[in-house]
Amino acid sequence: MSQSTPDSTFDVASLVEDVSLKRIGQYVLVILFIGFFLSPLQTGLMTAFKTNEAVARTIPLVPPSASGFTLGNLQFALNELSGAFFNSLFMAIPATIGSVLFGSMAAYGLTMVRWRGQTAVLMLFLVGIFLPYQAVLVPLARFWNNIFPLASMLAPAFGALPVLEPYHSNLVPLMITHIAYGIPICTILFRSYYQSLPGSLVEAAKIDGASLSKIYRRVLLPISKPMFGVVFIYQFTQIYNEFLFAFTLITGSDTPEAVVTLILPAVGASTSGVDFGIRMSASFLAAIPTLLIYVAFAEQFAKGLQTEGGA
Amino acid sequence: MGTHETKETTTQSSEEVGWETKLRYFLNSDFVRSSPFWGIPLVIMGIAVYGGMGFNIAISLTDARGLTPPDYSNLDLDMYGQVLGSEAFLTAAQNNLVLLVVFTTICLFLGLFLAILLDQGIRYNNTVQTIYLLPMSLSFVITAQMWLWMFNTNNGLLNIIVTTLGFQPVQWIGNPGIALGSVIFALIWQFSGYTMVVYLAGLRSLPDDQFEAARVDGASTIKTYLRIIVPQMKEASVSAAVVLMVFALKAFTFLYSLTGRYRPPNGTDILATLMVREAFKFGKWAYAASIATYLLILALGVIAPYLYYQYRQGSL
């Protein structure tokens, strides 16, 4: 509806005019909900910088006092997570690129040309988004461990490469798994975009005698840059945040190839309970990549989510 | 698909056309020429998703457990019966149902409410939307840690609020009676921004004149929304509900992360957590695989009507 006001314009005159009981009520509600959505984050962030004593004595929401402030938690957490950060990015970036590329290709073949049975094939992709991953976990573990032990086959090659350790080869099956299971959602995201493009665009190129792959490279790829942005942001967030596949394919949070989400539930825990200062520091460190992306590209992220629902 | 297409080209070309021509015709069809684009992703995804599902069902028919490989020579539905007869399965299924209904319903209503609120010409509404959606950008592993701290019995923010108001501190996830409710509350925090965004897209795609017309007729804002706007949000509601329900069925990560252990906190076991525990803690592969099949059937029960609805709407 037209009622949305531009975000940046701000003038006092219209603000004063705006004051009515209903308006005030609306803003009170908006602010209450801001509190609702931000309080767990604020609580965590403040706790991340508090000494154990300050954590026990102060209200979680308020910033630490000078004597209760510490960077020790953060330092400890960074130490625990640094290797896992590398693992997560090493796995998530190629997995994102792979699934996004395959998704865009599939969507092209399923929207830009017409053939019989297309709807049925599309259904297969669509259902693939919603199926619970639990239904493939046992086979997945069997496949990568017993039937096709790719990780151990690759280990020597990885050891020969600079920077990489042999244990990084354990991340390759996880990477491939994410590519395969990411294809359905990426396809549907791209499909909704390609459908919104004018059909004449491709028709004209076809009449000029361009081959399908030429049309894809010369016409479609250049104009779908914004959609690549959306899908890339959405998919990277999903893969980086994912836990279940990592949990299935990488055994144990104490192994050197563990990704960030796998390590986090154990950081700061001891027999006496959870050290929340350390735990919250680790949580925010783990959240940094997706938080940065989200704050910079909130609109694209929202767009990805909207399309997922409308799939 | 391939056979269909072959038949079509065969019937189209008449008797006197040689097979070379037919072949050339077929090879030049859009089906063949576009197949590298959709075919490769289809094969990769098909093996992973559908092959994986088939493999899962095959394992569920064996008695595989522990380190011995599954024996496919002796297949039966034994495990499905064992699973159905177990107390743990029935409890988990019941929790799943509660989670599904309560979580989905509240998320939809809260999301609709937030969307309407932000659509009232609120200043900085984009910034506010970004804040409301912020939890969706975080991993369940991370948000579970934050809520563990919020729910902490001694120093957690929720109990500080409760005791300030003069009540006794509450064991949010320590008490089996309210643990599931607490989990649902945290999940609503994470997901209501998502439903809001879906509804906002719906609201913004509506033409303005309906709202104006209702205004002119003297309808109040609330009436306008209830009678005119909300009924048109049906499509947004359906698609958001499907995403939420499917999530509610497979919500494993949040529950696992709350404790960092296989068993979720007091009485919040659902099928997804039960399945992973049986498989990866106890190595009961066939047993776990049949729980997974039940979960799959439940998910299909949500997805199939949705796809049929979409198909009928012509939006496929």
Side-chain angles (χ1 to χ4, degrees):
Chain A
M1 258 160 283
S2 64
Q3 299 179 352
S4 56
T5 337
D7 237 351
S8 48
T9 55
F10 184 86
D11 60 306
V12 182
S14 72
L15 190 71
V16 174
E17 208 175 280
D18 227 22
V19 173
S20 67
L21 216 55
K22 192 177 146 196
R23 272 275 153 208
I24 294 172
Q26 284 171 352
Y27 277 98
V28 168
L29 276 174
V30 167
I31 290 165
L32 277 178
F33 275 107
I34 289 180
F36 172 65
F37 285 109
L38 286 188
S39 57
L41 300 168
Q42 165 75 6
T43 302
L45 192 59
M46 291 305 113
T47 305
F49 294 103
K50 284 179 188 172
T51 59
N52 277 345
E53 201 205 344
V55 168
R57 278 190 301 104
T58 55
I59 294 172
L61 267 180
V62 300
S65 62
S67 64
F69 178 84
T70 178
L71 285 175
N73 298 327
L74 208 62
Q75 214 159 24
F76 184 89
L78 190 62
N79 209 22
E80 294 276 293
L81 285 179
S82 56
F85 260 126
F86 179 84
N87 295 342
S88 276
L89 296 178
F90 175 76
M91 179 279 295
I93 292 171
T96 306
I97 296 172
S99 55
V100 171
L101 274 182
F102 278 128
S104 119
M105 278 168 52
Y108 172 67
L110 291 170
T111 41
M112 287 308 173
V113 291
R114 295 250 136 245
W115 37 275
R116 256 175 35 153
Q118 201 169 42
T119 316
V121 173
L122 198 67
M123 283 279 205
L124 292 178
F125 281 90
L126 203 50
V127 173
I129 298 176
F130 296 110
L131 291 179
Y133 290 154
Q134 269 79 14
V136 294
L137 287 188
V138 172
L140 203 61
R142 264 205 78 71
F143 180 78
W144 289 122
N145 292 334
N146 307 88
I147 298 172
F148 188 62
L150 181 65
S152 53
M153 289 151 71
L154 285 176
F158 270 72
L161 290 168
V163 189
L164 294 181
E165 301 284 344
Y167 60 73
H168 285 129
S169 63
N170 287 318
L171 292 163
V172 176
L174 184 59
M175 203 188 285
I176 296 174
T177 304
H178 273 302
I179 291 175
Y181 289 98
I183 288 173
I185 180 67
C186 291
T187 303
I188 299 303
L189 289 171
F190 273 110
R191 179 176 170 262
S192 69
Y193 179 74
Y194 290 160
Q195 273 181 320
S196 71
L197 295 175
S200 54
L201 207 77
V202 172
E203 283 312 311
K206 255 188 190 169
I207 290 165
D208 287 349
S211 68
L212 281 178
S213 62
K214 203 168 186 180
I215 296 175
Y216 180 70
R217 277 183 289 117
R218 295 279 166 78
V219 181
L220 222 55
L221 282 187
I223 56 163
S224 49
K225 267 186 205 149
M227 199 57 197
F228 267 95
V230 170
V231 187
F232 199 93
I233 284 158
Y234 179 81
Q235 190 63 4
F236 176 79
T237 312
Q238 297 297 309
I239 296 179
Y240 179 88
N241 284 342
E242 203 274 341
F243 175 77
L244 190 55
F245 285 151
F247 174 81
T248 305
L249 296 179
I250 294 171
T251 36
S253 55
D254 45 2
T255 47
E257 67 268 24
V259 293
V260 167
T261 49
L262 212 51
I263 286 192
L264 197 59
V267 177
S270 66
T271 43
S272 57
V274 177
D275 184 332
F276 280 104
I278 290 173
R279 186 65 73 83
M280 290 300 115
S281 289
S283 298
F284 274 96
L285 282 177
I288 283 174
T290 54
L291 272 183
L292 284 179
I293 285 184
Y294 179 69
V295 171
F297 305 103
E299 215 170 298
Q300 281 85 343
F301 183 79
K303 213 170 162 189
L305 280 178
Q306 283 163 10
T307 325
E308 185 193 348
Chain B
M1 240 47 60
T3 49
H4 262 254
E5 207 59 29
T6 327
K7 259 185 216 152
E8 191 189 30
T9 38
T10 321
T11 43
Q12 267 175 8
S13 43
S14 51
E15 291 287 326
E16 61 263 34
V17 184
W19 65 270
E20 296 101 328
T21 322
K22 284 184 213 162
L23 186 67
R24 198 176 319 127
Y25 185 85
F26 174 68
L27 290 178
N28 272 322
S29 68
D30 275 346
F31 170 78
V32 171
R33 292 197 304 141
S34 69
S35 59
F37 287 97
W38 55 265
I40 298 167
L42 177 69
V43 168
I44 300 173
M45 179 278 293
I47 292 172
V49 175
Y50 296 99
M53 271 166 38
F55 195 177
N56 180 74
I57 290 172
I59 293 176
S60 73
L61 299 175
T62 68
D63 320 305
R65 63 182 301 162
L67 293 173
T68 39
D71 166 22
Y72 298 105
S73 64
N74 187 17
L75 301 180
D76 54 43
L77 289 168
D78 255 13
M79 285 300 165
Y80 288 89
Q82 273 192 42
V83 166
L84 262 191
S86 83
E87 188 83 27
F89 177 83
L90 297 176
T91 316
Q94 193 189 330
N95 281 342
N96 239 150
L97 214 63
V98 173
L99 178 67
L100 186 119
V101 173
V102 178
F103 163 76
T104 307
T105 315
I106 299 180
C107 267
L108 286 180
F109 277 107
L110 185 57
L112 180 62
F113 178 79
L114 293 176
I116 291 174
L117 181 65
L118 283 199
D119 207 36
Q120 300 297 312
I122 297 294
R123 267 158 210 281
Y124 303 105
N125 64 69
N126 283 341
T127 314
V128 176
Q129 182 190 323
T130 305
I131 293 172
Y132 289 2
L133 192 61
L134 190 56
M136 274 304 271
S137 72
L138 299 173
S139 172
F140 297 115
V141 178
I142 294 168
T143 57
Q145 306 314 321
M146 289 170 183
W147 279 97
L148 202 60
W149 181 217
M150 291 287 281
F151 287 141
N152 187 274
T153 315
N154 302 320
N155 299 331
L157 183 65
L158 287 181
N159 270 349
I160 287 176
I161 295 171
V162 167
T163 47
T164 311
L165 293 174
F167 298 101
Q168 287 295 309
V170 180
Q171 293 217 317
W172 299 100
I173 50 178
N175 180 350
I178 56 170
L180 191 59
S182 304
V183 166
I184 291 174
F185 186 78
L187 288 176
I188 288 166
W189 171 83
Q190 185 140 15
F191 273 89
S192 47
Y194 161 70
T195 36
M196 174 196 72
V197 159
V198 173
Y199 278 123
L200 262 178
L203 283 177
R204 285 177 180 157
S205 69
L206 288 183
D208 300 329
D209 47 341
Q210 295 181 344
F211 214 92
E212 296 304 319
R215 269 281 147 77
V216 172
D217 287 348
S220 69
T221 311
I222 295 176
K223 248 189 194 158
T224 314
Y225 272 106
L226 284 183
R227 300 248 173 95
I228 299 171
I229 308 297
V230 174
Q232 296 190 62
M233 295 289 106
K234 193 179 158 198
E235 208 153 319
S237 304
V238 170
S239 54
V242 169
V243 171
L244 294 175
M245 281 154 81
V246 171
F247 169 77
L249 285 176
K250 62 185 183 184
F252 164 82
T253 305
F254 191 85
L255 287 170
Y256 179 91
S257 307
L258 274 179
T259 57
R261 271 179 235 116
Y262 280 103
R263 200 175 278 282
N266 308 286
T268 57
D269 209 7
I270 61 171
L271 294 181
T273 52
L274 176 70
M275 181 266 155
V276 175
R277 188 168 66 241
E278 294 293 348
F280 296 99
K281 187 177 186 189
F282 300 117
K284 293 165 77 178
W285 304 112
Y287 189 80
S290 41
I291 300 176
T293 311
Y294 281 120
L295 193 59
L296 183 65
I297 294 167
L298 286 176
L300 282 176
V302 175
I303 307 162
Y306 171 66
L307 287 181
Y308 182 69
Y309 168 83
Q310 291 275 60
Y311 185 73
R312 286 277 303 275
Q313 298 264 309
S315 39
L316 276 187

